[in-house]
Each structure stands twice: as structure tokens, then as C-alpha cells.
Amino acid sequence: MTSGEKSPGHPSHEVHSPKNTAILDTRLRRFIYRPDRLAEKYVKPGGRVLDIGCGPGFFTREFAKRVGENGQVFSVDLQEEMLDILRKKLGPDGLLPRITTHRCAPDSLDLPADLNGTFDTAFAIFVVHEVPDPERLFREISMLLKPGGTFFYSDPPFVVSGGEFRDNLALAEKAGLRLAERRFYFVNRAAVLRKE
Ligand SMILES: C[S@@+](CC[C@H](N)C(=O)[O-])C[C@H]1O[C@@H](n2cnc3c(N)ncnc32)[C@H](O)[C@@H]1O
């Protein structure tokens, strides 16, 4: 699937264009979403993190800083152009040795089975509404996490209704991810789930 194409599961929502990444990495967004605090709360030094739909790396940067030299962030995106931008942006910060970039398929993360059960935390931030099969995505995340691992899911309320978000949480629970915390503020619907 290329940018601008519509996801079959969410006909009104398009895959974010790599030509429009500036809006994903602004000072205002940094101030509102505080990726540094998110990393501090949910990422452990030395941990293994999955950043699904990483885009140009707005959150990846803080996750990579937080895991430190002994940790690893897997940044996964559907579009190679996004991964290219991420590598160019985070290279000068010396963070690339802690980051593995991986291009996935539209309907699968397509990660090797030997990575199952190896991640401490998975993030899917502002991406699930672009994914054609969220149920499959949640099943894959559940398999990739260690038991007790954390899944942080968020989608923008101006795109995803409360009902759609709840439906997605139900799909995640069906995949073995138990709701631990639910948050809502005007720019974000977010939930923290734990792998059973
Ligand atoms: C709105 S951007 C969000 C980027 C980043 N998470 C952030 O909040 O700054 C959504 C990203 O998800 C990616 N994406 C869309 N569909 C995807 C899929 N099926 N699997 C993985 N990534 C996908 C897009 O290429 C894009 O980079």
C-alpha cells in the first residue's frame, strides 16, 4: 500500500504521507505528547521496545535514548520512506545502533517467529486507524510481548470515535492483552494493556 491509499478496514482514513511528516515532529506536538515522559514511564533501560507505525521517529528517538546502549528499539513501518526519514533524523544523534528498522506488510508486522515473547513494551501510536486488520495486529503484538509486557495504544479522537476505540480494546483483550489503564484527554485516546 502506498501513501494516500485507503485502508480497507477504515475507508475514511488514509496512510500518512511521508511528504507530510513535518506535522508529526513539531515543538507543539512535543509539548502536548511529551514523548520523553512516555518513555520514562513505560520503557526500561536495557529494555526491548517495539514501535509500530513509527513514522519519522518522533517517539522512537525518546525510546532509543531511554533503552540506552544495552537496549533495542524495533521501529516498524509500512513505508520505507518513513524508515529512511527516521534513519536520517536519528543517525546524527548516534542512536542508530540501538534501533532496528523493519518494513512490514499492510496486514502483518511480518517479524520473524524467533522474536516472539522477546519484547518488554510495544507502542502503537496514531497508527491502528490506518491498519486494515487491527485484530490481527493485536494478536501479533500479543505474541511478540513477554508475559506481563506492556502495550501502549493510542489514536487521535478527531479520527477515531469513542466507540471505535472501545471496539479495538475489545479486540486487543480477545488477543490476550488485558486493559490496565485508560486515559483520555482532548488530543488523545490512550490505553495501557498487559500481556497475560
Ligand atoms: C500518523 S503516522 C504516526 C507516526 C508515529 N507513530 C507518530 O505518532 O509520530 C502513522 C504511521 O503508520 C504507518 N502505517 C500505516 N499503516 C501501517 C501498517 N499497516 N503497519 C505498520 N505501519 C503502518 C504509516 O506509514 C505512518 O508512518
Side-chain angles (χ1 to χ4, degrees):
M1 188 176 294
T2 57
S3 61
E5 275 186 42
K6 295 186 174 181
S7 293
H10 300 270
S12 61
H13 306 145
E14 296 178 352
V15 173
H16 194 99
S17 169
K19 294 190 183 75
N20 191 19
T21 53
I23 60 159
L24 294 173
D25 197 354
T26 62
R27 266 198 213 160
L28 178 64
R29 194 167 187 237
R30 194 167 302 280
F31 174 73
I32 294 173
Y33 293 106
R34 295 305 305 255
D36 52 341
R37 285 194 192 156
L38 192 69
E40 205 179 310
K41 190 158 181 192
Y42 297 110
V43 175
K44 290 184 284 190
R48 285 172 57 80
V49 172
L50 195 53
D51 186 5
I52 299 156
C54 57
F58 177 75
F59 290 96
T60 307
R61 173 186 279 116
E62 298 303 327
F63 302 155
K65 282 194 212 162
R66 176 77 175 154
V67 293
E69 283 177 7
N70 298 322
Q72 192 67 205
V73 181
F74 275 65
S75 296
V76 178
D77 205 283
L78 177 63
Q79 303 183 84
E80 193 59 44
E81 296 98 310
M82 288 293 194
L83 298 173
D84 273 344
I85 296 169
L86 180 152
R87 288 186 288 259
K88 281 187 190 119
K89 279 172 79 165
L90 305 192
D93 293 346
L95 295 171
L96 292 187
R98 308 170 189 183
I99 299 171
T100 302
T101 52
H102 171 77
R103 184 182 183 188
C104 65
D107 57 353
S108 171
L109 295 179
D110 236 356
L111 284 163
D114 62 1
L115 292 179
N116 285 344
T118 67
F119 288 94
D120 300 290
T121 315
F123 293 90
I125 302 175
F126 285 27
V127 57
V128 174
H129 66 279
E130 296 186 10
V131 172
D133 189 349
E135 186 168 6
R136 178 168 178 176
L137 173 67
F138 296 140
R139 275 202 308 272
E140 290 187 316
I141 292 169
S142 185
M143 278 195 298
L144 287 157
L145 283 172
K146 295 176 182 171
T150 300
F151 172 43
F152 182 94
Y153 162 41
S154 87
D155 255 331
F158 42 89
V159 178
V160 173
S161 69
E164 189 179 345
F165 191 75
R166 272 194 303 280
D167 289 349
N168 282 341
L169 289 180
L171 293 178
E173 293 224 65
K174 217 169 114 190
L177 299 159
R178 285 283 157 265
L179 187 61
E181 198 185 313
R182 175 98 194 253
R183 300 205 260 144
F184 178 83
Y185 50 104
F186 73 111
V187 285
N188 204 3
R189 291 186 203 286
V192 179
L193 300 100
R194 300 244 186 262
K195 162 81 182 279
E196 294 181 316

